[in-house]
Amino acid sequence: MKQHKKMSLATKIFLSLAFGILFGLIANVFFPTTVNSGLSKWILSPLGDIFLRAIKMLVVPLVLCSLITGVASIGDVKKLGRVGVRTIIYYTLTTALAITLALGVASIIKPGIGTGVALSQVKESVETAEAPFIMDVFVNMIPTNPIEAMVNGDMLQIIVFAIIFGICITLIGEKVKPLLDIITEINEVLLKMIGIIMLAAPIGVFALISKVIMLQGASVLIPLLKYILTVALGLAIQCILVYGLALKVLGKVNPIKFYKKFWPVMLVACSTSSSNATIPINLETCEEKLGASKSIASFTIPLGATINMDGTAVMQGVAAIFIAQLVGADLTMNQMLMVVLTATLASIGTAGVPGAGAVMLSMVLQQIGLPLEGVALVLSVDRIVDMLRTTVNITGDAAATIIMSNMEKELDLSLYNSESKEVNNGVVI
């Protein structure tokens, strides 16, 4: 009897994404509004929210335990400092490069010219925010109450607490080895939970993507299609060319191998639109499929989800040019530099959750004197753009993890270069 080959989870997620987009388009065109509202309220929203909540349930405990275990396993405070400095410099440079790239692409394509869209038609009020003062960013990294930081999901404060905790375990040594063993075992349980939750990923991805397409519809997208395509082009260049080149030159690895194994994570990021929600599956994939050092991955990925927003930076650059062109303004070189500086700084203090890019954009527009009504206009298609930029955000985190692991000679190259599909927590990906 011929044995049928079992479909991998990655293939199931991809098919769910495709079917979700198709179903959303059909429902938007042919189903009455009342039917779409009912489907969203009673079926799609609950299924999507359950999947998202299940992943988010693990984010804080996994980041805490994984980071403590990783820092303690490094065993050398000097090495931790070296990895930390390299990672932060890398993240800052790639974010600044992403904004610069976006400004260049948008200046060539001119997404705001000939769209038929006018800011004068926009009446929505916009929630604004001021760019954070740089010293406040550093001060607010230190939690006054670590438990409160965990309850609120303040990732930067959790990261700082976990790093200090892990360093102290290293300094004390054998006395607290039983404590480290317990935290390591908890971390293993959490990784097993990820494997179980990911079995429901195809259902969650279908529900999340079909709801967006069903309710958004093509009528909203068409007037701003040039803007969306410009952002998508900038994101594609950042994701494929910039990260591919960085993996090849800095990481000294084959970037094609990276993308072949990482694309399932990109699909999950696309459907959830949340860097934080993707941390568990990102960690698991980098460690178990790409051979990254667990100690380094547990540091770079949570940190990247908090401060490394390359995809969001691309959107900021394109949106600034787009809005300037709508009002007939030409941005000067000084204003463009201000966009780069403001967006890079804002990305450090902005949470990795859906919609955070809109808050960052209001900061950028205020700094260069463009009308805030532009944020409301961009928000009309932000859910679609958010899916794309989150995908780039988390890909940048993973690429940095591979690069830093290989710089420290801790990348398992045999696992990275392997062609076979790995089995993680009992799940074939």
Side-chain angles (χ1 to χ4, degrees), residues 96-163:
L97 177 61
I99 306 164
T100 307
L101 172 71
L103 291 171
V105 170
S107 297
I108 294 168
I109 297 177
K110 297 181 170 39
I113 304 297
T115 60
V117 178
L119 280 185
S120 57
Q121 299 169 347
V122 180
K123 304 295 182 185
E124 298 177 51
S125 59
V126 179
E127 184 180 340
T128 63
E130 292 183 5
F133 176 50
I134 184 65
M135 296 314 296
D136 286 343
V137 173
F138 292 121
V139 170
N140 292 331
M141 286 168 56
I142 310 299
T144 55
N145 185 339
I147 306 300
E148 184 183 16
M150 293 174 207
V151 171
N152 294 334
D154 192 325
M155 297 308 297
L156 208 51
Q157 293 189 1
I158 294 169
I159 289 167
V160 170
F161 174 77
I163 290 171

Side-chain angles (χ1 to χ4, degrees), residues 94-356:
T94 56
T95 300
L97 177 61
I99 306 164
T100 307
L101 172 71
L103 291 171
V105 170
S107 297
I108 294 168
I109 297 177
K110 297 181 170 39
I113 304 297
T115 60
V117 178
L119 280 185
S120 57
Q121 299 169 347
V122 180
K123 304 295 182 185
E124 298 177 51
S125 59
V126 179
E127 184 180 340
T128 63
E130 292 183 5
F133 176 50
I134 184 65
M135 296 314 296
D136 286 343
V137 173
F138 292 121
V139 170
N140 292 331
M141 286 168 56
I142 310 299
T144 55
N145 185 339
I147 306 300
E148 184 183 16
M150 293 174 207
V151 171
N152 294 334
D154 192 325
M155 297 308 297
L156 208 51
Q157 293 189 1
I158 294 169
I159 289 167
V160 170
F161 174 77
I163 290 171
I164 295 171
F165 198 98
I167 289 172
C168 291
I169 287 178
T170 301
L171 294 174
I172 295 171
E174 284 298 317
K175 275 188 181 180
V176 289
K177 192 175 183 302
L179 173 62
L180 180 59
D181 290 340
I182 291 172
I183 296 173
T184 303
E185 287 162 9
I186 292 173
N187 194 53
E188 290 298 318
V189 173
L190 293 170
L191 288 172
K192 183 68 175 177
M193 290 175 71
I194 295 168
I196 294 171
I197 291 169
M198 285 307 296
L199 292 173
I203 298 171
V205 166
F206 176 87
L208 288 166
I209 195 72
S210 58
K211 175 189 169 185
V212 171
I213 302 298
M214 176 196 295
L215 299 180
Q216 200 84 6
S219 59
V220 178
L221 304 181
I222 289 171
L224 296 173
L225 189 59
K226 198 174 179 183
Y227 162 75
I228 296 169
L229 291 176
T230 305
V231 174
L233 177 61
L235 292 172
I237 294 171
Q238 180 74 15
C239 190
I240 298 170
L241 295 183
V242 174
Y243 296 153
L245 194 61
L247 285 164
K248 184 70 177 174
V249 175
L250 299 177
K252 302 187 188 325
V253 294
N254 184 348
I256 295 173
K257 301 273 189 186
F258 171 83
Y259 291 111
K260 281 176 70 175
K261 293 186 177 184
F262 193 72
W263 69 268
V265 187
M266 297 168 77
L267 294 181
V268 173
C270 184
S271 60
T272 61
S273 297
S274 173
S275 297
N276 284 348
T278 318
I279 288 174
I281 183 66
N282 200 349
L283 271 171
E284 184 192 34
T285 301
C286 285
E287 294 172 7
E288 304 297 332
K289 293 179 69 179
L290 291 167
S293 162
K294 291 188 177 183
S295 59
I296 291 175
S298 62
F299 175 78
T300 55
I301 290 174
L303 183 66
T306 308
I307 71 170
N308 185 42
M309 302 275 184
D310 294 351
T312 306
V314 169
M315 184 275 277
Q316 309 295 315
V318 174
I321 296 288
F322 172 68
I323 293 165
Q325 289 170 349
L326 288 181
V327 298
D330 290 322
L331 295 185
T332 65
M333 185 58 68
N334 284 341
Q335 285 176 311
M336 288 191 180
L337 286 173
M338 187 60 70
V339 171
V340 174
L341 291 171
T342 305
T344 303
L345 175 60
S347 69
I348 298 172
T350 306
V353 296

Side-chain angles (χ1 to χ4, degrees), residues 48-126:
D49 289 344
I50 287 169
F51 175 63
L52 263 181
R53 289 173 73 94
I55 295 178
K56 288 180 178 179
M57 171 180 70
L58 300 179
V59 171
V60 170
L62 182 67
V63 168
L64 182 68
C65 295
S66 179
L67 200 47
I68 290 173
T69 304
V71 170
S73 66
I74 287 178
D76 183 356
V77 177
K78 287 183 180 178
K79 178 183 170 184
L80 176 64
R82 183 174 66 247
V83 172
V85 169
R86 281 178 178 173
T87 302
I88 291 170
I89 290 173
Y90 176 85
Y91 282 155
T92 304
L93 289 177
T94 56
T95 300
L97 177 61
I99 306 164
T100 307
L101 172 71
L103 291 171
V105 170
S107 297
I108 294 168
I109 297 177
K110 297 181 170 39
I113 304 297
T115 60
V117 178
L119 280 185
S120 57
Q121 299 169 347
V122 180
K123 304 295 182 185
E124 298 177 51
S125 59
V126 179

